[in-house]
Amino acid sequence: TRLVLIITTRDKQLLTSYGVKRTHEVKELSKKDAIQLLKRKAFKTYDEVDQSYNQVLNDVVTWTSGLPLALEVIGSNLFGKSIKEWESAIKQYQRIPNKEILKILKVSFDALEEEEKSVFLDITCCLKGYKCREIEDILHSLYDNCMKYHIGVLVDKSLIQISDDRVTLHDLIENMGKEIDRQKSPKETGKRRRLWLLKDIIQVLKDNSGTSEVKIICLDFPISDKQETIEWNGNAFKEMKNLKALIIRNGILSQGPNYLPESLRILEWHRHPSHCLPSDFDTTNLAIRDLE
């Protein structure tokens, strides 16, 4: 009798450590199968449901990318709910992940070493979609060390993926990472390590409410035909004494900064509103400088 042992895990390194030679990556559910699973949980049936629910069913499947866990949790939570309740819940899930989903996805995050956790949150909040080399260079500047090993760990644990030489990750895992970071200072934006939300950054720039806790600012404006100029007085970085990375893309600020902290190692500012940097800022500390 031949014994076949099947191991399921999100950690590729675990398989390697046990000498597993044959592996198979389980793909996400097809759209048809995902909708069937969602209907079974939300309507307790495999049969056709009221067509008015088709759009919200498709929205959930698209957002979860066919992840069975998410479909089961969301479907169960929305059992017997009206379309308006579905729409409201979907918006809520997109903003703040469901606690049950977050708890299960967070298992992989909790198993990371502290520096690996920090690198994961840097990528999740600010660097998703960047080329691998760009991320390696940015992380090297942030940590004064090569982070290629850490990136490999995150790939092995299925927390990030590399596709076409760019780092990406599942929407649910991205939301999980951003929620973990947000929870460190849910009410005081200026006390977070990472700032990436447009409204949060605008608030900090206008109110001068940033603190020494802020390490990374990544402002990537949505590209549109009509962009508003953000009015600020240029002094917002004065209290951000530990700011290491300032990345501004596709944005228009009313003026350049009056002050930049000496801690800054990465300065990428597209459409920089001034011809020069503050006279008292030592540019030799910059590892990456890109002003357009």
Side-chain angles (χ1 to χ4, degrees), residues 21-81:
K21 293 182 171 56
R22 296 181 62 184
T23 62
H24 173 72
E25 184 175 347
V26 179
K27 302 299 181 183
E28 61 195 35
L29 292 177
S30 68
K31 186 173 183 179
K32 180 180 177 181
D33 290 339
I35 288 178
Q36 284 290 86
L37 175 58
L38 183 58
K39 285 197 298 186
R40 181 165 68 86
K41 289 294 180 179
F43 301 98
K44 309 302 181 188
T45 182
Y46 286 110
D47 299 330
E48 291 298 317
V49 299
D50 189 327
Q51 290 188 356
S52 60
Y53 280 89
N54 286 349
Q55 185 59 54
V56 289
L57 286 169
N58 281 309
D59 288 345
V60 171
V61 168
T62 299
W63 177 65
T64 59
S65 298
L67 189 69
L69 161 69
L71 293 169
E72 290 185 0
V73 171
I74 292 173
S76 298
N77 287 346
L78 293 175
F79 172 65
K81 304 295 184 183

Short mmCIF file of all heavy atoms in Angstrom, two decimals, residues 21-81:
data_model
loop_
_atom_site.label_atom_id
_atom_site.label_comp_id
_atom_site.label_asym_id
_atom_site.label_seq_id
_atom_site.Cartn_x
_atom_site.Cartn_y
_atom_site.Cartn_z
N LYS A 21 9.35 17.57 -2.55
CA LYS A 21 9.89 17.83 -3.88
C LYS A 21 8.82 18.18 -4.91
O LYS A 21 9.07 18.90 -5.86
CB LYS A 21 10.70 16.62 -4.36
CG LYS A 21 11.97 16.39 -3.53
CD LYS A 21 12.76 15.23 -4.07
CE LYS A 21 14.13 15.12 -3.39
NZ LYS A 21 14.05 15.01 -1.94
N ARG A 22 7.64 17.65 -4.74
CA ARG A 22 6.57 17.92 -5.70
C ARG A 22 5.55 18.86 -5.07
O ARG A 22 4.95 18.54 -4.05
CB ARG A 22 5.89 16.62 -6.14
CG ARG A 22 6.82 15.68 -6.90
CD ARG A 22 6.09 14.41 -7.32
NE ARG A 22 4.98 14.70 -8.22
CZ ARG A 22 4.13 13.76 -8.65
NH1 ARG A 22 4.26 12.51 -8.26
NH2 ARG A 22 3.16 14.10 -9.47
N THR A 23 5.39 20.01 -5.67
CA THR A 23 4.44 20.99 -5.13
C THR A 23 3.46 21.41 -6.22
O THR A 23 3.75 21.32 -7.42
CB THR A 23 5.16 22.25 -4.60
OG1 THR A 23 5.84 22.89 -5.69
CG2 THR A 23 6.15 21.89 -3.51
N HIS A 24 2.33 21.87 -5.78
CA HIS A 24 1.30 22.35 -6.72
C HIS A 24 0.65 23.59 -6.12
O HIS A 24 0.18 23.57 -4.98
CB HIS A 24 0.23 21.28 -6.95
CG HIS A 24 -0.94 21.77 -7.77
ND1 HIS A 24 -0.85 22.03 -9.12
CD2 HIS A 24 -2.22 22.08 -7.40
CE1 HIS A 24 -2.02 22.46 -9.56
NE2 HIS A 24 -2.86 22.50 -8.54
N GLU A 25 0.67 24.67 -6.87
CA GLU A 25 0.05 25.91 -6.39
C GLU A 25 -1.43 25.89 -6.75
O GLU A 25 -1.81 25.80 -7.91
CB GLU A 25 0.72 27.13 -7.03
CG GLU A 25 0.18 28.44 -6.50
CD GLU A 25 0.93 29.65 -7.04
OE1 GLU A 25 2.02 29.45 -7.63
OE2 GLU A 25 0.42 30.77 -6.89
N VAL A 26 -2.26 25.96 -5.72
CA VAL A 26 -3.71 25.93 -5.94
C VAL A 26 -4.15 27.29 -6.47
O VAL A 26 -3.89 28.32 -5.85
CB VAL A 26 -4.45 25.61 -4.62
CG1 VAL A 26 -5.96 25.61 -4.86
CG2 VAL A 26 -4.00 24.25 -4.09
N LYS A 27 -4.81 27.28 -7.59
CA LYS A 27 -5.27 28.52 -8.20
C LYS A 27 -6.56 28.98 -7.55
O LYS A 27 -7.29 28.21 -6.92
CB LYS A 27 -5.49 28.32 -9.70
CG LYS A 27 -4.25 27.85 -10.46
CD LYS A 27 -3.12 28.86 -10.36
CE LYS A 27 -1.89 28.40 -11.14
NZ LYS A 27 -0.76 29.33 -10.99
N GLU A 28 -6.84 30.26 -7.72
CA GLU A 28 -8.09 30.80 -7.20
C GLU A 28 -9.27 30.20 -7.96
O GLU A 28 -9.13 29.68 -9.07
CB GLU A 28 -8.09 32.32 -7.35
CG GLU A 28 -7.99 32.79 -8.79
CD GLU A 28 -7.63 34.25 -8.92
OE1 GLU A 28 -6.86 34.75 -8.10
OE2 GLU A 28 -8.13 34.88 -9.86
N LEU A 29 -10.44 30.25 -7.35
CA LEU A 29 -11.64 29.71 -7.98
C LEU A 29 -11.97 30.46 -9.27
O LEU A 29 -11.70 31.65 -9.39
CB LEU A 29 -12.83 29.83 -7.03
CG LEU A 29 -12.83 28.97 -5.76
CD1 LEU A 29 -14.06 29.30 -4.92
CD2 LEU A 29 -12.80 27.50 -6.10
N SER A 30 -12.54 29.73 -10.23
CA SER A 30 -13.05 30.41 -11.42
C SER A 30 -14.22 31.30 -11.00
O SER A 30 -14.81 31.12 -9.92
CB SER A 30 -13.53 29.39 -12.45
OG SER A 30 -14.69 28.71 -11.96
N LYS A 31 -14.56 32.24 -11.84
CA LYS A 31 -15.66 33.16 -11.49
C LYS A 31 -16.96 32.39 -11.28
O LYS A 31 -17.72 32.67 -10.35
CB LYS A 31 -15.83 34.20 -12.60
CG LYS A 31 -16.86 35.27 -12.26
CD LYS A 31 -16.88 36.38 -13.30
CE LYS A 31 -17.87 37.46 -12.89
NZ LYS A 31 -17.90 38.57 -13.87
N LYS A 32 -17.19 31.39 -12.13
CA LYS A 32 -18.42 30.59 -12.02
C LYS A 32 -18.47 29.85 -10.69
O LYS A 32 -19.49 29.88 -9.98
CB LYS A 32 -18.49 29.60 -13.18
CG LYS A 32 -19.74 28.72 -13.15
CD LYS A 32 -19.74 27.75 -14.33
CE LYS A 32 -20.96 26.82 -14.26
NZ LYS A 32 -20.96 25.84 -15.38
N ASP A 33 -17.37 29.20 -10.33
CA ASP A 33 -17.33 28.44 -9.07
C ASP A 33 -17.40 29.38 -7.86
O ASP A 33 -18.00 29.05 -6.84
CB ASP A 33 -16.06 27.60 -9.00
CG ASP A 33 -16.08 26.43 -9.98
OD1 ASP A 33 -17.18 26.04 -10.40
OD2 ASP A 33 -14.99 25.92 -10.32
N ALA A 34 -16.78 30.55 -8.00
CA ALA A 34 -16.79 31.51 -6.90
C ALA A 34 -18.22 32.01 -6.63
O ALA A 34 -18.65 32.12 -5.47
CB ALA A 34 -15.88 32.69 -7.22
N ILE A 35 -18.94 32.29 -7.70
CA ILE A 35 -20.33 32.74 -7.53
C ILE A 35 -21.19 31.63 -6.93
O ILE A 35 -22.05 31.89 -6.08
CB ILE A 35 -20.90 33.22 -8.88
CG1 ILE A 35 -20.25 34.56 -9.26
CG2 ILE A 35 -22.42 33.36 -8.82
CD1 ILE A 35 -20.70 35.12 -10.59
N GLN A 36 -20.94 30.39 -7.33
CA GLN A 36 -21.68 29.26 -6.78
C GLN A 36 -21.45 29.14 -5.27
O GLN A 36 -22.39 28.93 -4.50
CB GLN A 36 -21.27 27.96 -7.47
CG GLN A 36 -21.85 27.79 -8.87
CD GLN A 36 -23.35 27.54 -8.84
OE1 GLN A 36 -24.15 28.48 -8.81
NE2 GLN A 36 -23.74 26.28 -8.82
N LEU A 37 -20.19 29.27 -4.85
CA LEU A 37 -19.87 29.18 -3.43
C LEU A 37 -20.52 30.33 -2.66
O LEU A 37 -21.08 30.14 -1.58
CB LEU A 37 -18.35 29.21 -3.24
CG LEU A 37 -17.85 29.24 -1.79
CD1 LEU A 37 -18.36 28.03 -1.00
CD2 LEU A 37 -16.32 29.29 -1.76
N LEU A 38 -20.45 31.52 -3.23
CA LEU A 38 -21.03 32.69 -2.58
C LEU A 38 -22.54 32.54 -2.44
O LEU A 38 -23.12 32.85 -1.39
CB LEU A 38 -20.68 33.95 -3.38
CG LEU A 38 -21.14 35.29 -2.81
CD1 LEU A 38 -20.59 35.51 -1.41
CD2 LEU A 38 -20.72 36.43 -3.74
N LYS A 39 -23.19 32.04 -3.49
CA LYS A 39 -24.65 31.85 -3.44
C LYS A 39 -25.03 30.80 -2.40
O LYS A 39 -26.03 30.95 -1.69
CB LYS A 39 -25.18 31.43 -4.82
CG LYS A 39 -25.23 32.57 -5.82
CD LYS A 39 -26.12 32.26 -7.02
CE LYS A 39 -25.63 31.07 -7.80
NZ LYS A 39 -26.42 30.87 -9.04
N ARG A 40 -24.21 29.75 -2.30
CA ARG A 40 -24.52 28.69 -1.33
C ARG A 40 -24.48 29.24 0.10
O ARG A 40 -25.29 28.87 0.94
CB ARG A 40 -23.53 27.53 -1.47
CG ARG A 40 -23.81 26.38 -0.51
CD ARG A 40 -23.06 25.14 -0.92
NE ARG A 40 -21.62 25.29 -0.76
CZ ARG A 40 -20.97 25.05 0.39
NH1 ARG A 40 -21.63 24.68 1.47
NH2 ARG A 40 -19.66 25.18 0.45
N LYS A 41 -23.54 30.14 0.35
CA LYS A 41 -23.42 30.70 1.69
C LYS A 41 -24.44 31.81 1.95
O LYS A 41 -24.97 31.93 3.05
CB LYS A 41 -22.00 31.25 1.90
CG LYS A 41 -20.94 30.17 2.01
CD LYS A 41 -21.15 29.35 3.27
CE LYS A 41 -20.11 28.26 3.42
NZ LYS A 41 -20.31 27.47 4.66
N ALA A 42 -24.70 32.63 0.93
CA ALA A 42 -25.56 33.80 1.13
C ALA A 42 -27.04 33.49 0.95
O ALA A 42 -27.89 34.16 1.54
CB ALA A 42 -25.14 34.92 0.18
N PHE A 43 -27.34 32.48 0.12
CA PHE A 43 -28.74 32.18 -0.18
C PHE A 43 -29.13 30.73 0.13
O PHE A 43 -30.28 30.34 -0.07
CB PHE A 43 -29.04 32.47 -1.66
CG PHE A 43 -28.78 33.90 -2.06
CD1 PHE A 43 -27.59 34.26 -2.67
CD2 PHE A 43 -29.72 34.89 -1.81
CE1 PHE A 43 -27.34 35.58 -3.03
CE2 PHE A 43 -29.49 36.21 -2.17
CZ PHE A 43 -28.29 36.55 -2.78
N LYS A 44 -28.14 29.94 0.59
CA LYS A 44 -28.37 28.53 0.92
C LYS A 44 -28.93 27.75 -0.28
O LYS A 44 -29.81 26.90 -0.14
CB LYS A 44 -29.34 28.40 2.11
CG LYS A 44 -28.97 29.23 3.33
CD LYS A 44 -27.60 28.89 3.86
CE LYS A 44 -27.26 29.72 5.09
NZ LYS A 44 -25.86 29.57 5.53
N THR A 45 -28.42 28.07 -1.46
CA THR A 45 -28.89 27.38 -2.66
C THR A 45 -27.84 27.44 -3.75
O THR A 45 -26.98 28.33 -3.75
CB THR A 45 -30.19 28.02 -3.19
OG1 THR A 45 -30.64 27.29 -4.34
CG2 THR A 45 -29.97 29.47 -3.60
N TYR A 46 -27.89 26.46 -4.66
CA TYR A 46 -27.06 26.49 -5.86
C TYR A 46 -27.87 26.98 -7.05
O TYR A 46 -27.35 27.18 -8.14
CB TYR A 46 -26.51 25.09 -6.18
CG TYR A 46 -25.41 24.63 -5.25
CD1 TYR A 46 -25.63 23.61 -4.33
CD2 TYR A 46 -24.15 25.21 -5.31
CE1 TYR A 46 -24.61 23.18 -3.50
CE2 TYR A 46 -23.13 24.78 -4.48
CZ TYR A 46 -23.36 23.77 -3.57
OH TYR A 46 -22.36 23.35 -2.74
N ASP A 47 -29.17 27.14 -6.84
CA ASP A 47 -30.06 27.54 -7.93
C ASP A 47 -29.91 29.02 -8.25
O ASP A 47 -29.23 29.77 -7.55
CB ASP A 47 -31.52 27.22 -7.56
CG ASP A 47 -31.73 25.73 -7.32
OD1 ASP A 47 -31.02 24.93 -7.96
OD2 ASP A 47 -32.59 25.38 -6.48
N GLU A 48 -30.60 29.43 -9.30
CA GLU A 48 -30.58 30.84 -9.68
C GLU A 48 -31.23 31.68 -8.59
O GLU A 48 -32.19 31.26 -7.94
CB GLU A 48 -31.33 31.05 -11.00
CG GLU A 48 -30.62 30.45 -12.21
CD GLU A 48 -29.27 31.09 -12.46
OE1 GLU A 48 -29.17 32.33 -12.35
OE2 GLU A 48 -28.31 30.35 -12.74
N VAL A 49 -30.70 32.88 -8.38
CA VAL A 49 -31.27 33.80 -7.40
C VAL A 49 -31.80 35.02 -8.15
O VAL A 49 -31.60 35.17 -9.36
CB VAL A 49 -30.23 34.23 -6.35
CG1 VAL A 49 -29.71 33.02 -5.59
CG2 VAL A 49 -29.07 34.98 -7.01
N ASP A 50 -32.50 35.86 -7.44
CA ASP A 50 -33.05 37.08 -8.04
C ASP A 50 -31.96 37.82 -8.82
O ASP A 50 -30.88 38.11 -8.30
CB ASP A 50 -33.58 37.98 -6.91
CG ASP A 50 -34.38 39.16 -7.44
OD1 ASP A 50 -34.04 39.67 -8.53
OD2 ASP A 50 -35.33 39.58 -6.76
N GLN A 51 -32.23 38.11 -10.09
CA GLN A 51 -31.23 38.73 -10.96
C GLN A 51 -30.75 40.09 -10.46
O GLN A 51 -29.68 40.55 -10.84
CB GLN A 51 -31.79 38.87 -12.38
CG GLN A 51 -31.94 37.54 -13.10
CD GLN A 51 -32.31 37.72 -14.57
OE1 GLN A 51 -32.52 38.83 -15.03
NE2 GLN A 51 -32.37 36.62 -15.30
N SER A 52 -31.55 40.71 -9.63
CA SER A 52 -31.14 42.02 -9.10
C SER A 52 -29.89 41.92 -8.22
O SER A 52 -29.24 42.92 -7.94
CB SER A 52 -32.29 42.66 -8.31
OG SER A 52 -32.66 41.83 -7.22
N TYR A 53 -29.56 40.68 -7.80
CA TYR A 53 -28.36 40.47 -6.97
C TYR A 53 -27.11 40.21 -7.81
O TYR A 53 -26.01 40.11 -7.26
CB TYR A 53 -28.56 39.29 -6.01
CG TYR A 53 -29.37 39.62 -4.79
CD1 TYR A 53 -30.76 39.50 -4.79
CD2 TYR A 53 -28.75 40.05 -3.62
CE1 TYR A 53 -31.51 39.80 -3.67
CE2 TYR A 53 -29.49 40.35 -2.48
CZ TYR A 53 -30.87 40.22 -2.51
OH TYR A 53 -31.61 40.53 -1.39
N ASN A 54 -27.26 40.08 -9.12
CA ASN A 54 -26.13 39.70 -9.96
C ASN A 54 -24.94 40.65 -9.82
O ASN A 54 -23.79 40.22 -9.75
CB ASN A 54 -26.56 39.62 -11.43
CG ASN A 54 -27.39 38.38 -11.72
OD1 ASN A 54 -27.48 37.48 -10.88
ND2 ASN A 54 -28.01 38.33 -12.89
N GLN A 55 -25.23 41.95 -9.79
CA GLN A 55 -24.14 42.92 -9.73
C GLN A 55 -23.36 42.83 -8.42
O GLN A 55 -22.13 42.83 -8.42
CB GLN A 55 -24.69 44.34 -9.91
CG GLN A 55 -23.59 45.42 -9.98
CD GLN A 55 -22.63 45.20 -11.12
OE1 GLN A 55 -23.03 45.07 -12.27
NE2 GLN A 55 -21.33 45.13 -10.82
N VAL A 56 -24.08 42.73 -7.30
CA VAL A 56 -23.37 42.67 -6.02
C VAL A 56 -22.61 41.35 -5.87
O VAL A 56 -21.53 41.30 -5.27
CB VAL A 56 -24.33 42.88 -4.82
CG1 VAL A 56 -24.79 44.32 -4.76
CG2 VAL A 56 -25.51 41.93 -4.86
N LEU A 57 -23.17 40.27 -6.43
CA LEU A 57 -22.45 38.99 -6.41
C LEU A 57 -21.13 39.12 -7.18
O LEU A 57 -20.08 38.68 -6.71
CB LEU A 57 -23.31 37.89 -7.03
CG LEU A 57 -24.49 37.37 -6.19
CD1 LEU A 57 -25.40 36.49 -7.05
CD2 LEU A 57 -24.00 36.60 -4.98
N ASN A 58 -21.21 39.73 -8.35
CA ASN A 58 -20.01 39.93 -9.16
C ASN A 58 -19.01 40.85 -8.47
O ASN A 58 -17.79 40.63 -8.54
CB ASN A 58 -20.37 40.51 -10.53
CG ASN A 58 -20.90 39.44 -11.49
OD1 ASN A 58 -20.26 38.41 -11.67
ND2 ASN A 58 -22.05 39.68 -12.08
N ASP A 59 -19.51 41.87 -7.79
CA ASP A 59 -18.63 42.81 -7.08
C ASP A 59 -17.84 42.09 -5.98
O ASP A 59 -16.64 42.32 -5.81
CB ASP A 59 -19.45 43.95 -6.46
CG ASP A 59 -19.97 44.92 -7.50
OD1 ASP A 59 -19.49 44.88 -8.65
OD2 ASP A 59 -20.88 45.71 -7.18
N VAL A 60 -18.52 41.21 -5.24
CA VAL A 60 -17.85 40.48 -4.16
C VAL A 60 -16.81 39.53 -4.73
O VAL A 60 -15.68 39.46 -4.22
CB VAL A 60 -18.88 39.70 -3.31
CG1 VAL A 60 -18.15 38.76 -2.34
CG2 VAL A 60 -19.77 40.66 -2.54
N VAL A 61 -17.15 38.82 -5.79
CA VAL A 61 -16.22 37.87 -6.39
C VAL A 61 -14.99 38.60 -6.94
O VAL A 61 -13.85 38.14 -6.77
CB VAL A 61 -16.91 37.06 -7.51
CG1 VAL A 61 -15.88 36.28 -8.33
CG2 VAL A 61 -17.94 36.11 -6.91
N THR A 62 -15.21 39.75 -7.56
CA THR A 62 -14.08 40.53 -8.09
C THR A 62 -13.18 41.00 -6.97
O THR A 62 -11.94 40.89 -7.05
CB THR A 62 -14.60 41.74 -8.89
OG1 THR A 62 -15.39 41.28 -9.99
CG2 THR A 62 -13.44 42.58 -9.41
N TRP A 63 -13.78 41.53 -5.91
CA TRP A 63 -12.98 42.08 -4.81
C TRP A 63 -12.18 41.00 -4.09
O TRP A 63 -11.03 41.20 -3.71
CB TRP A 63 -13.89 42.80 -3.82
CG TRP A 63 -13.14 43.33 -2.64
CD1 TRP A 63 -12.18 44.31 -2.65
CD2 TRP A 63 -13.25 42.89 -1.29
NE1 TRP A 63 -11.70 44.51 -1.38
CE2 TRP A 63 -12.34 43.65 -0.52
CE3 TRP A 63 -14.04 41.95 -0.65
CZ2 TRP A 63 -12.19 43.49 0.84
CZ3 TRP A 63 -13.90 41.79 0.72
CH2 TRP A 63 -12.98 42.55 1.45
N THR A 64 -12.77 39.82 -3.92
CA THR A 64 -12.09 38.74 -3.19
C THR A 64 -11.16 37.93 -4.08
O THR A 64 -10.40 37.09 -3.58
CB THR A 64 -13.11 37.77 -2.58
OG1 THR A 64 -13.91 37.21 -3.63
CG2 THR A 64 -14.00 38.46 -1.57
N SER A 65 -11.20 38.19 -5.40
CA SER A 65 -10.40 37.42 -6.37
C SER A 65 -10.63 35.92 -6.22
O SER A 65 -9.72 35.11 -6.41
CB SER A 65 -8.90 37.74 -6.20
OG SER A 65 -8.65 39.09 -6.46
N GLY A 66 -11.85 35.55 -5.87
CA GLY A 66 -12.20 34.14 -5.78
C GLY A 66 -11.61 33.40 -4.60
O GLY A 66 -11.52 32.17 -4.61
N LEU A 67 -11.20 34.12 -3.56
CA LEU A 67 -10.62 33.47 -2.38
C LEU A 67 -11.75 32.81 -1.58
O LEU A 67 -12.63 33.49 -1.05
CB LEU A 67 -9.91 34.51 -1.51
CG LEU A 67 -9.08 33.97 -0.35
CD1 LEU A 67 -7.86 33.23 -0.87
CD2 LEU A 67 -8.64 35.10 0.57
N PRO A 68 -11.74 31.46 -1.47
CA PRO A 68 -12.85 30.76 -0.82
C PRO A 68 -13.15 31.23 0.60
O PRO A 68 -14.30 31.39 0.98
CB PRO A 68 -12.39 29.29 -0.83
CG PRO A 68 -11.47 29.20 -2.00
CD PRO A 68 -10.76 30.52 -2.04
N LEU A 69 -12.10 31.44 1.38
CA LEU A 69 -12.29 31.90 2.76
C LEU A 69 -13.12 33.17 2.80
O LEU A 69 -14.10 33.28 3.56
CB LEU A 69 -10.93 32.15 3.40
CG LEU A 69 -10.93 33.05 4.65
CD1 LEU A 69 -11.60 32.35 5.81
CD2 LEU A 69 -9.51 33.47 5.01
N ALA A 70 -12.75 34.14 1.99
CA ALA A 70 -13.45 35.43 1.99
C ALA A 70 -14.89 35.26 1.51
O ALA A 70 -15.81 35.87 2.06
CB ALA A 70 -12.71 36.43 1.11
N LEU A 71 -15.08 34.45 0.48
CA LEU A 71 -16.43 34.23 -0.05
C LEU A 71 -17.33 33.59 1.00
O LEU A 71 -18.50 33.96 1.14
CB LEU A 71 -16.36 33.33 -1.30
CG LEU A 71 -15.68 33.95 -2.52
CD1 LEU A 71 -15.43 32.88 -3.58
CD2 LEU A 71 -16.53 35.07 -3.10
N GLU A 72 -16.79 32.63 1.75
CA GLU A 72 -17.59 31.96 2.77
C GLU A 72 -17.96 32.91 3.91
O GLU A 72 -19.11 32.94 4.35
CB GLU A 72 -16.82 30.75 3.32
CG GLU A 72 -16.71 29.61 2.32
CD GLU A 72 -16.04 28.39 2.92
OE1 GLU A 72 -15.67 28.44 4.11
OE2 GLU A 72 -15.89 27.38 2.21
N VAL A 73 -16.99 33.69 4.37
CA VAL A 73 -17.25 34.61 5.48
C VAL A 73 -18.25 35.69 5.07
O VAL A 73 -19.23 35.97 5.77
CB VAL A 73 -15.94 35.26 5.97
CG1 VAL A 73 -16.22 36.37 6.97
CG2 VAL A 73 -15.04 34.20 6.61
N ILE A 74 -18.00 36.30 3.91
CA ILE A 74 -18.88 37.39 3.45
C ILE A 74 -20.27 36.86 3.13
O ILE A 74 -21.28 37.46 3.50
CB ILE A 74 -18.26 38.10 2.23
CG1 ILE A 74 -17.00 38.84 2.66
CG2 ILE A 74 -19.26 39.07 1.60
CD1 ILE A 74 -16.21 39.44 1.51
N GLY A 75 -20.33 35.71 2.44
CA GLY A 75 -21.62 35.12 2.11
C GLY A 75 -22.44 34.81 3.35
O GLY A 75 -23.65 35.10 3.42
N SER A 76 -21.80 34.24 4.36
CA SER A 76 -22.50 33.91 5.61
C SER A 76 -22.99 35.17 6.31
O SER A 76 -24.10 35.21 6.86
CB SER A 76 -21.57 33.12 6.54
OG SER A 76 -21.18 31.90 5.94
N ASN A 77 -22.17 36.21 6.29
CA ASN A 77 -22.55 37.46 6.96
C ASN A 77 -23.72 38.17 6.27
O ASN A 77 -24.48 38.91 6.90
CB ASN A 77 -21.36 38.42 7.02
CG ASN A 77 -20.32 37.98 8.03
OD1 ASN A 77 -20.58 37.12 8.86
ND2 ASN A 77 -19.14 38.56 7.95
N LEU A 78 -23.86 37.93 4.96
CA LEU A 78 -24.88 38.64 4.19
C LEU A 78 -26.12 37.78 3.92
O LEU A 78 -26.99 38.18 3.14
CB LEU A 78 -24.29 39.14 2.87
CG LEU A 78 -23.22 40.23 3.01
CD1 LEU A 78 -22.61 40.58 1.67
CD2 LEU A 78 -23.80 41.48 3.67
N PHE A 79 -26.19 36.65 4.59
CA PHE A 79 -27.36 35.78 4.42
C PHE A 79 -28.64 36.53 4.81
O PHE A 79 -28.74 37.11 5.89
CB PHE A 79 -27.22 34.53 5.29
CG PHE A 79 -28.45 33.67 5.32
CD1 PHE A 79 -28.90 33.03 4.18
CD2 PHE A 79 -29.18 33.52 6.50
CE1 PHE A 79 -30.04 32.23 4.20
CE2 PHE A 79 -30.32 32.74 6.53
CZ PHE A 79 -30.75 32.09 5.38
N GLY A 80 -29.60 36.54 3.88
CA GLY A 80 -30.89 37.17 4.16
C GLY A 80 -30.90 38.68 4.08
O GLY A 80 -31.90 39.31 4.44
N LYS A 81 -29.82 39.28 3.58
CA LYS A 81 -29.74 40.74 3.53
C LYS A 81 -30.27 41.29 2.20
O LYS A 81 -30.23 40.62 1.17
CB LYS A 81 -28.29 41.21 3.72
CG LYS A 81 -27.63 40.72 5.01
CD LYS A 81 -28.30 41.28 6.24
CE LYS A 81 -27.57 40.85 7.51
NZ LYS A 81 -28.24 41.34 8.73
#
